[in-house]
Amino acid sequence: MASEHATLAEYLKNWSGGDETRDAVSIALLALAEASGRLSALIAEGPFVRGLGETVGDGGGGDIKKFLDVESHKMFKDALAKAPVAALGSEEADDAEILNEGAPLVVAIDPLDGSSNINTNVSIGTIFSVLPAPPGMDMNSALLQAGNTQLASGFFVYGPQTTLVVTVREGTHIFTMAPDDRVFRLTQRNLKISPDKAEYAINASNARHWPNAVKAYMRDLHAGKDGPREKDFNMRWVGSLVAEAYRILIRGGIFLYPGDSRKGYEQGRLRLVYEAIPIALLVSEAGGSATDGLRPILEIKPDNLHQRVPLVFGPTAEVERISRYNEAQSGGEASPLFSERGLLRS
Ligand code: FBP
C-alpha cells in the first residue's frame, strides 16, 4: 500500500526539524517535485502532444534544443520562483537567472536529461543541485561553488515509474511517485552501491577517439575471464545519464564518459555544474566515488556554468582503478603493461 510509505514532505519535515536552512532546502525540493509531477504528466502524453521531441533550436556546443527541453526549463523555473531560491543556473539558459534576490539558496539544473531519448519512450530525467547563497556572494559565484558545498542534490527519472533519487547529505534515498495520488513516497532508503557487479556503461562507438588509458582499461574489461580481470563483464548504455546512474545505484557497475579526441569532446560531453556534481554527491552518499578520471568531482571548483567534465562513477575501488590507469598513461600507444595479468589487480 502506497500510504504506508512516508511522503517526501514528511521525510523532509522530519529531517529539517525546524532548522531555517533545512526548511529552505525542503521548500525548494518540494517545488522541484511539484514541477516534476507536471513534467512527468506532459511526457506521458507523448504522441498526443505535438512536437514533444521536436527540435526548436541549437543549444550550442553540438547540443540540439528540443521542445521538451524548453518546456521543462520553464516549469522548473516557475516552481523555483515560489521557493527561497535566489538564482537558477540551467542547461537551457546561457546565464544565471535571478529569481528571488537575497534568498538563501541557488539551484543548478539540467531540466531534461537524455533529450535524444524523448521520442524513443526510454527513461529521461531532470538533474539538480542545491547550493547555499551566502550573503554578499554574487549569484554566478554561488552557482560555481565546488560540489562539496552542496546542501542537497538529486534527479528525477521519467521512466516506467516516475522516481526521485535524492540526498540531503544523510544517505541517498529513492522516492517513487505513487500512481493513485501522484505523491512521492519513500520506497528505498540508504542505497549502497554494490562493489561486485561486473558491468560497465560507456558509449563504445567513440572507442577510436578515447585516450590511451581508457583504451587500455576497456581492453582489459573486454578480455573478460581470459584477461587480467579474470571475469566477464556485461555492458549497458542507455544514453540517459539518469538511467545509468539509477541502475548503478541499484545494482552496481561503472560509468565512464571520458574526454576524447573529437572536436568539442576534449572534456567529454557531460556538464560539471548540473550533471556531474549532483550525481557525484548522490554516489558518494551511497558509498561510491565520482572523478574526472583523476580528481574527485566534488573537489573541482567550476569556472563556468556550462563547462564539460570527463565523468567516471561507481564503486570506489573500480573508480580508483581507473585513476591508476590514467596515472600510468605514458602518452604513447595503450601500454601493453596494462594487460599484464594481475598488474593492476587490487
Ligand atoms: P542532454 O542533457 O543534452 O540530454 O545530454 C546528456 C546526455 O544525454 C546524457 O544523459 C547521456 O549520458 C549522454 O548525453 C549521452 O551521450 P552520447 O549520445 O554521446 O552517448
Side-chain angles (χ1 to χ4, degrees), residues 241 255-259 267-271 275-277 279-280 290-293 297 309-313:
L241 179 59
F255 176 95
L256 301 96
Y257 206 122
Q267 296 302 313
R269 176 186 170 105
L270 301 172
R271 311 291 183 146
E275 291 182 318
I277 281 180
I279 298 283
T291 69
D292 66 352
I297 292 288
V309 72
L311 180 59
V312 172
F313 68 85

Side-chain angles (χ1 to χ4, degrees), residues 196-239:
D196 306 320
K197 184 75 182 170
E199 193 164 81
Y200 65 85
I202 192 167
N203 185 337
S205 69
N206 301 322
R208 68 191 184 284
H209 306 294
W210 290 337
N212 287 334
V214 177
K215 283 181 181 160
Y217 172 74
M218 293 307 303
R219 192 178 58 207
D220 286 353
L221 295 196
H222 290 154
K225 275 201 179 91
D226 305 325
R229 304 301 300 269
E230 297 176 328
K231 57 183 172 184
D232 292 334
F233 281 76
N234 188 29
M235 192 203 89
R236 287 287 182 274
W237 185 252
V238 180

Side-chain angles (χ1 to χ4, degrees), residues 313-341:
F313 68 85
T316 300
E318 196 64 23
V319 172
E320 285 173 352
R321 178 187 288 270
I322 293 170
S323 301
R324 295 203 293 279
Y325 277 75
N326 276 315
E327 278 156 8
Q329 183 171 4
S330 60
E333 273 305 289
S335 165
L337 285 180
F338 290 123
S339 285
E340 269 174 31
R341 182 170 291 266

Side-chain angles (χ1 to χ4, degrees), residues 42-53:
L42 177 63
I43 291 167
E45 298 244 338
F48 302 110
V49 180
R50 251 194 67 228
L52 218 48

Side-chain angles (χ1 to χ4, degrees), residues 63-64 69 91-92 110 112-117 124 127 202-206 237-244 255 257 262 265 269-271 274-275 308:
D63 289 346
I64 304 289
D69 289 319
E91 177 166 45
E92 300 307 327
D110 177 0
L112 208 282
D113 172 67
S115 14
S116 70
N117 281 325
I124 50 182
I127 312 174
I202 192 167
N203 185 337
S205 69
N206 301 322
W237 185 252
V238 180
S240 290
L241 179 59
V242 291
E244 324 283 2
F255 176 95
Y257 206 122
R262 287 172 297 161
Y265 284 79
R269 176 186 170 105
L270 301 172
R271 311 291 183 146
Y274 40 77
E275 291 182 318
R308 297 179 195 268

Side-chain angles (χ1 to χ4, degrees), residues 79-145:
L80 290 170
K82 296 180 209 127
V85 174
L88 178 67
S90 167
E91 177 166 45
E92 300 307 327
D94 290 343
D95 302 309
E97 298 176 290
I98 305 300
L99 300 181
N100 298 295
E101 241 164 290
L105 307 174
V106 291
V107 172
I109 197 162
D110 177 0
L112 208 282
D113 172 67
S115 14
S116 70
N117 281 325
I118 294 172
N119 282 339
T120 63
N121 200 19
V122 164
S123 293
I124 50 182
T126 300
I127 312 174
F128 62 85
S129 163
V130 181
L131 296 142
M137 189 183 271
D138 73 86
M139 290 306 101
N140 280 315
S141 309
L143 284 161
L144 300 181
Q145 294 173 91

